[in-house]
Amino acid sequence: MAIKSNKKWSVQMYQVREVLRLYFESERTKNQISISLNLSFSTVSIIINRAKEKNLDYKTAKEMSDSRLNELIYPNKPGKKSDIEKVRPNYEYIVSELKKKKMTKTLLYKEYSDEYKDRALSFSSFCFYLRSYIKQNSLSMVLIHKPGEKAYIDYCGMTVPIYDKECDNVEFNSQIFVATLPYSEYSYFEAHSSQSAKWFINGCVRAFNYFGGVTEILVTDNLKASVIANTRNDVKLSKAMIDFAQYYSIIIEPTRPYKPKDKARVESRVGYVERNVLNALRNTKFYSLNDLNIALLEYVKLTNSDNFTKKPFSRKDVFESEKSHLLSLPEVPYTYGEYYSATVPSDYHITYDNVKYSVPNEFRNKQVDYRVTDKAIEIYYESKLIATHNLKQIKTNLVSEPVTDMNHMPENHIRYLNLEDKELISKRAQEIGINTKKVIDAILNLPSITSSKTSANSLLMLANLYSKEELEKASTKAVHIDSMTKATVEAILKSKNYEIVEVDPTEPMPSVHDNIRGNSYYSNEEAF
């Protein structure tokens, strides 16, 4: 999910929080965090060391405002020292050692820095020059995958057309999402209508559900849905990807830009899906995404259960031993949401999709961020949740009634509304009749306080235009048809249709057969 163009989220502070989460909650090393977030080793060290100095952990930082966290952790940007006078390591030796099983760059760097002390390069420079050496000598790193450690995500280059049922033309080309566990090559794939953030993140959620667990690291391609920027010196994940990672307590590692070679397993599975699945379906027409995904799921099961080409066992067999290494799924799956920002106006309500939602009145004239899911709207100020509302679904473009939380209103507004007089309005209705009271009570229980009182008083005033007796009759009819609104009662009064027709179940129904023409026959001018 990409943040809207008018979004002004504090990237620096949510990266700081992510560093603290990975260090204190996920127990990742500084080096691992540096690689995961593509931050320099010194920057990660500064953040963690300052947090320790302030006795600050992730849970505390999560509840802290951006401005306060900035004061404590990152008041100044770290500078980069020159590497001119540093001693370069023997990279030929480094590369040869890295080919050994379970050898790490961290250990090799420690041996190098212990030998040269102050004359040693920083870890980030060490890695930078190592990558340059490998590139210049056309070398590839040997990747050894641990069970349950990583999941790779990518999209196929090939697409599958979805046809319109009515005209049989191509409605859109579906994108094929592929998730792979590199240790076992156990895979999951499905069709998406696009590569948008919503489809991408929900695809990750469904992949984890299919695997029955969560990996420690999620390696993604450089899709706009997950990565805002990924250069040699900077990586910026989208806010939704950061939220997703924090919800599942995982690490997001975008692959290197420009023809990366560190995702060969998923590239292999993408190629397999294109050659053996999509080509097999090339002559089948699909008229919905759901139909295509039902067909793809059968191929998912088939490809995982088939034996390897040169091995007497399947990916599913290997996955059985890997599954125990996966982290547990959360009880409630992650819910995707889109982010927006707005300045709270003087009426302390922000507007989304023509509906106004209240914000605590003390945040008037301040900029807030809000997250919209399928069912709710969450409002944040400096990364702290300050309000939540159920999302109001409207079918027209007309402005709907505002959604107001009484706790968000200033005291003078509450006094002005004088909520206690709702009881007085109900008593006035009871004086007219029991059914009038039922209608008035239903109106007073509507979500919008102001408009419900106005509507109830307006309904009672109809007794002056007609009569109390007529109002009670109309209310009785409204209760009977279970439509207790001002509009219904007013319509009944205007038509004077107070009659309540009770159907006698013992009375025989009129016969219906081809010889009985009915009123509709004679309303047709062509019949004459």
Side-chain angles (χ1 to χ4, degrees):
M1 178 217 72
I3 302 173
K4 300 300 180 183
S5 58
N6 64 340
K7 184 80 180 88
K8 296 182 179 178
W9 201 277
S10 176
V11 175
Q12 183 185 9
M13 288 303 101
Y14 79 67
Q15 282 187 320
V16 168
R17 288 189 180 91
E18 184 66 358
V19 169
L20 298 181
R21 181 183 76 85
L22 295 176
Y23 185 78
F24 290 108
E25 299 289 324
S26 300
E27 297 182 350
R28 310 297 291 184
T29 66
K30 294 178 182 179
N31 175 45
Q32 290 171 326
I33 296 170
S34 172
I35 296 171
S36 173
L37 298 181
N38 205 17
L39 296 172
S40 70
F41 185 82
S42 60
T43 299
V44 172
S45 296
I46 287 172
I47 293 172
I48 293 172
N49 292 338
R50 288 180 181 171
K52 289 181 177 179
E53 289 172 5
K54 303 293 183 180
N55 293 321
L56 180 66
D57 57 15
Y58 169 66
K59 291 181 179 179
T60 306
K62 186 178 179 182
E63 300 299 322
M64 193 172 288
S65 69
D66 288 356
S67 55
R68 177 57 180 158
L69 184 60
N70 184 69
E71 291 175 4
L72 292 176
I73 295 294
Y74 209 21
N76 299 305
K77 294 183 179 180
K80 185 177 180 181
K81 296 181 179 179
S82 172
D83 295 330
I84 296 176
E85 298 180 357
K86 305 295 183 180
V87 176
R88 304 292 177 91
N90 183 343
Y91 283 114
E92 183 178 355
Y93 165 77
I94 297 294
V95 170
S96 65
E97 288 296 295
L98 281 172
K99 292 179 180 180
K100 295 180 179 178
K101 191 174 182 179
K102 296 189 178 180
M103 178 57 69
T104 66
K105 286 185 286 185
T106 306
L107 176 59
L108 293 173
Y109 174 74
K110 184 178 184 302
E111 293 174 351
Y112 156 72
S113 60
D114 287 345
E115 181 178 356
Y116 293 102
K117 309 292 183 184
D118 295 338
R119 299 175 62 201
L121 294 167
S122 67
F123 183 75
S124 58
S125 295
F126 174 87
C127 294
F128 170 74
Y129 292 120
L130 174 60
R131 287 194 297 268
S132 298
Y133 176 84
I134 292 170
K135 184 177 180 181
Q136 290 170 5
N137 292 275
S138 300
L139 301 174
S140 295
M141 298 294 290
V142 177
L143 300 176
I144 300 173
H145 300 288
K146 300 175 183 177
E149 181 187 33
K150 292 183 178 182
Y152 286 79
I153 308 293
D154 203 356
Y155 278 97
C156 290
M158 292 176 61
T159 60
V160 178
I162 303 296
Y163 291 84
D164 186 278
K165 289 183 179 179
E166 295 182 1
C167 60
D168 210 38
N169 291 332
V170 176
E171 188 175 356
F172 65 91
N173 289 304
S174 64
Q175 310 290 319
I176 309 303
F177 169 95
V178 181
T180 299
L181 301 177
Y183 176 80
S184 61
E185 293 190 22
Y186 196 72
S187 301
Y188 171 80
F189 43 91
E190 64 179 23
H192 293 172
S193 66
S194 71
Q195 294 186 19
S196 67
K198 183 174 183 178
W199 281 102
F200 178 76
I201 292 178
N202 285 336
C204 294
V205 172
R206 287 188 288 269
F208 283 145
N209 289 341
Y210 183 80
F211 296 149
V214 181
T215 56
E216 296 177 23
I217 300 169
L218 183 66
V219 182
T220 71
D221 202 355
N222 287 285
L223 301 167
K224 291 182 179 179
S226 60
V227 182
I228 299 173
N230 188 358
T231 64
R232 179 178 296 171
N233 301 316
D234 186 29
V235 61
K236 292 181 180 178
L237 296 176
S238 69
K239 185 64 177 69
M241 284 305 296
I242 292 291
D243 284 348
F244 172 75
Q246 291 176 349
Y247 191 87
Y248 282 93
S249 298
I250 61 175
I251 299 157
I252 306 295
E253 284 187 1
T255 56
R256 291 171 291 165
Y258 312 114
K259 301 180 180 180
K261 295 183 179 181
D262 45 10
K263 55 169 187 165
R265 291 294 174 91
V266 72
E267 294 287 1
S268 171
R269 300 315 295 156
V270 164
Y272 176 90
V273 171
E274 291 178 341
R275 292 188 303 273
N276 299 281
V277 179
L278 302 188
N279 280 336
L281 296 172
R282 69 188 184 282
N283 295 322
T284 305
K285 279 191 174 182
F286 295 97
Y287 292 93
S288 74
L289 207 61
N290 185 57
D291 290 343
L292 174 56
N293 277 322
I294 290 173
L296 288 176
L297 185 58
E298 293 303 314
Y299 278 97
V300 170
K301 297 174 183 177
L302 184 64
T303 56
N304 285 328
S305 59
D306 279 352
N307 284 351
F308 288 96
T309 305
K310 298 181 180 180
K311 300 173 184 176
F313 50 85
S314 68
R315 293 171 179 83
K316 186 177 180 181
D317 295 331
V318 182
F319 174 71
E320 290 302 319
S321 64
E322 181 178 20
K323 191 172 182 179
S324 61
H325 294 273
L326 296 175
L327 304 174
S328 299
L329 288 167
E331 293 184 7
V332 179
Y334 175 78
T335 303
Y336 170 84
E338 291 191 351
Y339 283 87
Y340 304 85
S341 62
T343 300
V344 181
S346 57
D347 66 357
Y348 53 90
H349 284 71
I350 60 171
T351 302
Y352 173 76
D353 198 19
N354 291 321
V355 179
K356 289 190 171 185
Y357 298 89
S358 66
V359 180
N361 68 89
E362 60 266 29
F363 294 98
R364 283 179 289 189
N365 302 318
K366 294 182 179 179
Q367 183 162 313
V368 296
D369 302 290
Y370 57 100
R371 178 176 182 264
V372 182
T373 68
D374 291 337
K375 296 182 180 180
I377 179 168
E378 304 164 352
I379 305 170
Y380 297 84
Y381 177 72
E382 290 198 346
S383 303
K384 293 185 68 176
L385 182 66
I386 58 174
T388 303
H389 298 283
N390 291 329
L391 192 65
K392 191 172 183 180
Q393 304 291 346
I394 58 175
K395 297 182 180 180
T396 67
N397 293 325
L398 300 177
V399 177
S400 180
E401 295 291 338
V403 178
T404 305
D405 186 332
M406 289 294 300
N407 296 319
H408 297 167
M409 301 175 68
E411 292 184 5
N412 60 328
H413 285 196
I414 296 175
R415 288 195 299 269
Y416 174 78
L417 286 176
N418 191 14
L419 299 180
E420 293 180 358
D421 67 4
K422 289 175 66 174
E423 297 181 5
L424 298 177
I425 296 173
S426 183
K427 287 180 180 179
R428 285 167 55 201
Q430 191 171 16
E431 291 173 1
I432 296 174
I434 186 170
N435 287 306
T436 302
K437 182 180 184 302
K438 286 182 180 179
V439 175
I440 289 296
D441 287 345
I443 294 173
L444 290 174
N445 285 327
L446 293 173
S448 178
I449 299 165
T450 307
S451 60
S452 63
K453 284 180 54 181
T454 302
S455 182
N457 281 316
S458 179
L459 178 60
L460 292 178
M461 290 177 66
L462 293 175
N464 300 326
L465 183 61
Y466 297 91
S467 67
K468 291 183 179 180
E469 292 76 15
E470 287 181 297
L471 179 57
E472 176 62 15
K473 287 181 181 179
S475 298
T476 302
K477 179 68 177 287
V479 172
H480 181 75
I481 64 176
D482 194 23
S483 180
M484 292 181 284
T485 66
K486 175 181 175 293
T488 299
V489 173
E490 193 169 11
I492 295 171
L493 285 169
K494 287 180 179 179
S495 65
K496 298 189 179 298
N497 184 18
Y498 311 130
E499 295 285 336
I500 298 177
V501 180
E502 298 288 349
V503 179
D504 186 355
T506 62
E507 184 178 340
M509 297 296 291
S511 300
V512 178
H513 53 78
D514 294 339
N515 293 332
I516 296 179
R517 295 172 177 172
N519 292 336
S520 61
Y521 176 85
Y522 297 102
S523 64
N524 189 342
E525 294 180 359
E526 294 182 1
F528 292 92

